[in-house]
Amino acid sequence: MIEKLNKAFCKLPGVGSKSAQRFIYHLLERDRQGGLELSEALAETMKKVKNCERCRTLSEKTLCSICANNARDGSQLCIVETPTDIHVIEQSGVYSGKYFVLSGYLSPIDGIGAAELGLDELENLLKNEKVNEIILATNATIEGEVTAHYIYNLAKKYQIKTTRIAHGIPLGGELEYTDINTIAHALSGRKSYDI
Amino acid sequence: MIEKLNKAFCKLPGVGSKSAQRFIYHLLERDRQGGLELSEALAETMKKVKNCERCRTLSEKTLCSICANNARDGSQLCIVETPTDIHVIEQSGVYSGKYFVLSGYLSPIDGIGAAELGLDELENLLKNEKVNEIILATNATIEGEVTAHYIYNLAKKYQIKTTRIAHGIPLGGELEYTDINTIAHALSGRKSYDI
């Protein structure tokens, strides 16, 4: 029984057999109630959380809280790779538009094409809603760039302005410890210094 | 719902809100079945795993597999602080006696006295079974040493030979990187070098 639970814990990212054992003994010896609560919360979440019909993020309702919020600016559409990315952007507190979540990134070699990404839904959304700006916030990886480029072409078809979030030296970062690709990106993406 | 699950995950040792979020998104996006299995395994384990009546380790049955195994040498009794310690000693493969698990270590300041540790059960066990040697395998901490000393006095009452597992430089360890307390222990605990 404990071995079965150990294996189930090992399916979580970054959890190996030793950590799983620590979790199990901790729960059994000090917090059985916590273990039962975790079990219930897990079952409930796995069964009830679906995808938002409009932006495809994870949501308990048909429309997620951001899509359902009319105070948010529907003319801006930020495109991200995962629901976690929305969470991070929301924490930054500078964006008040809406989102669209891809199912990862274009990667034909893994069998992930335009349909799997949800680009058809994105196109429908662009047809039905009045979007003035698409902000591409896919990751700064090769796949993320390819995906961004693909969506840029799609947006061009509907004559929608497209922007890409800036890439460069992170705040508080030192040049000495920054990798060369980031430095190259930061240099080529330099802006005029106006006060 | 996701926040509730996040909080429940955070009760696991070493898991914070960020790791919990990674777990949840991973399960929701890639492995819902795994999440449900984890939930079931957790509930089952929390409800059914009890303590072994003889050695107090965690067990699904009244007697754990080691206590119920007559092939094991009942005349040796190894005393450890937690069920995990049994697991580690079993993996070393050099011990074939039986065990007794304390509930941690003596720590009057935290309200853990002899009764809370299960020393009454240990005394009953010593009265009822024929134990020739008690091996003290409590941790090499101040509390572990105090606990070991306490049990040593108890064993003396029943005239049972008591030994303590050796403390010293770990195998593969280098003197240069070993802390001074361990070196002091290793020196004072030196043995004659016989080939």
Side-chain angles (χ1 to χ4, degrees):
Chain A
M1 202 179 288
I2 291 181
E3 286 80 53
K4 198 173 132 200
L5 179 57
N6 194 303
K7 273 190 195 140
F9 265 125
C10 285
K11 287 190 181 164
L12 296 175
V15 175
S17 161
K18 280 243 167 183
S19 314
Q21 197 177 302
R22 248 178 92 212
F23 292 167
I24 298 168
Y25 283 125
H26 171 84
L27 291 176
L28 282 173
E29 281 174 41
R30 302 215 183 107
D31 198 5
R32 283 187 192 236
Q33 190 51 40
L36 289 173
E37 278 165 21
L38 176 57
S39 163
E40 274 165 37
L42 252 174
E44 200 187 4
T45 306
M46 292 303 124
K47 281 175 200 153
K48 292 194 188 157
V49 173
K50 311 268 177 241
N51 291 90
C52 168
E53 274 191 357
R54 186 191 153 282
C55 77
R56 306 188 4 132
T57 193
L58 297 166
S59 167
E60 291 149 38
K61 298 186 190 139
T62 330
L63 273 186
C64 73
S65 58
I66 294 176
C67 288
N69 183 352
N70 290 325
R72 300 205 53 132
D73 182 1
S75 72
Q76 283 189 319
L77 187 70
C78 180
I79 299 192
V80 293
E81 288 182 12
T82 67
T84 327
D85 296 337
I86 293 191
H87 188 74
V88 180
I89 295 178
E90 284 299 293
Q91 282 185 321
S92 80
V94 297
Y95 183 67
S96 61
K98 295 199 171 178
Y99 293 92
F100 185 84
V101 181
L102 304 170
S103 309
Y105 42 76
L106 273 180
S107 180
I109 213 166
D110 301 321
I112 302 174
E116 284 77 17
L117 268 194
L119 292 179
D120 298 342
E121 279 115 315
L122 177 59
E123 197 160 356
N124 280 336
L125 194 154
L126 296 181
K127 273 182 206 156
N128 299 330
E129 296 186 21
K130 209 185 137 29
V131 176
N132 293 330
E133 181 182 0
I134 287 181
I135 300 170
L136 296 167
T138 53
N139 288 329
T141 56
I142 294 179
E143 291 87 352
E145 295 295 348
V146 172
T147 311
H149 192 76
Y150 195 97
I151 297 172
Y152 166 69
N153 283 333
L154 187 71
K156 219 160 51 176
K157 211 165 87 184
Y158 294 90
Q159 291 164 315
I160 300 170
K161 176 184 162 195
T162 312
T163 54
R164 178 101 173 96
I165 53 166
H167 296 114
I169 318 288
L171 287 205
E174 295 177 39
L175 282 188
E176 189 179 348
Y177 301 112
T178 307
D179 68 298
I180 48 172
N181 292 324
T182 302
I183 290 184
H185 232 99
L187 276 174
S188 63
R190 68 189 179 279
K191 298 199 285 186
S192 70
Y193 190 69
D194 301 322
I195 299 172
Chain B
M1 201 180 289
I2 291 182
E3 287 79 54
K4 198 173 130 200
L5 179 56
N6 194 304
K7 273 189 196 143
F9 264 126
C10 285
K11 287 191 181 162
L12 297 175
V15 175
S17 162
K18 280 245 165 180
S19 313
Q21 197 177 302
R22 249 179 91 212
F23 293 167
I24 296 168
Y25 283 124
H26 171 85
L27 291 176
L28 282 174
E29 280 175 39
R30 304 219 180 104
D31 197 6
R32 283 187 192 238
Q33 190 51 39
L36 289 173
E37 277 166 21
L38 176 56
S39 163
E40 275 165 36
L42 253 176
E44 200 187 4
T45 306
M46 292 302 126
K47 281 176 200 151
K48 293 196 187 157
V49 171
K50 310 267 178 244
N51 291 91
C52 168
E53 275 191 357
R54 188 190 152 281
C55 78
R56 307 188 2 135
T57 193
L58 296 166
S59 168
E60 291 150 37
K61 299 187 189 138
T62 330
L63 272 185
C64 73
S65 58
I66 294 176
C67 287
N69 183 352
N70 290 324
R72 298 203 59 130
D73 183 1
S75 71
Q76 283 188 317
L77 187 70
C78 180
I79 299 191
V80 294
E81 287 181 14
T82 67
T84 328
D85 297 337
I86 293 191
H87 189 74
V88 180
I89 295 178
E90 283 299 293
Q91 284 185 320
S92 79
V94 296
Y95 183 66
S96 60
K98 295 197 171 178
Y99 293 92
F100 185 83
V101 182
L102 305 170
S103 309
Y105 42 76
L106 273 180
S107 179
I109 212 164
D110 301 319
I112 303 174
E116 284 76 17
L117 268 193
L119 291 178
D120 298 343
E121 280 115 314
L122 176 60
E123 196 161 354
N124 280 336
L125 194 155
L126 295 182
K127 273 182 205 157
N128 299 330
E129 296 186 20
K130 208 186 138 26
V131 176
N132 294 328
E133 181 183 358
I134 286 181
I135 300 170
L136 297 167
T138 52
N139 288 329
T141 55
I142 295 181
E143 291 88 352
E145 295 293 348
V146 172
T147 310
H149 193 76
Y150 194 96
I151 297 173
Y152 165 69
N153 283 333
L154 186 72
K156 217 160 55 175
K157 211 165 88 182
Y158 295 91
Q159 291 164 319
I160 300 170
K161 176 184 162 194
T162 311
T163 55
R164 179 101 174 93
I165 53 167
H167 296 114
I169 318 287
L171 287 204
E174 294 177 41
L175 281 190
E176 190 179 347
Y177 301 111
T178 307
D179 68 298
I180 47 171
N181 293 325
T182 302
I183 291 185
H185 232 99
L187 276 175
S188 64
R190 67 191 180 278
K191 298 199 286 187
S192 70
Y193 189 70
D194 299 323
I195 300 169

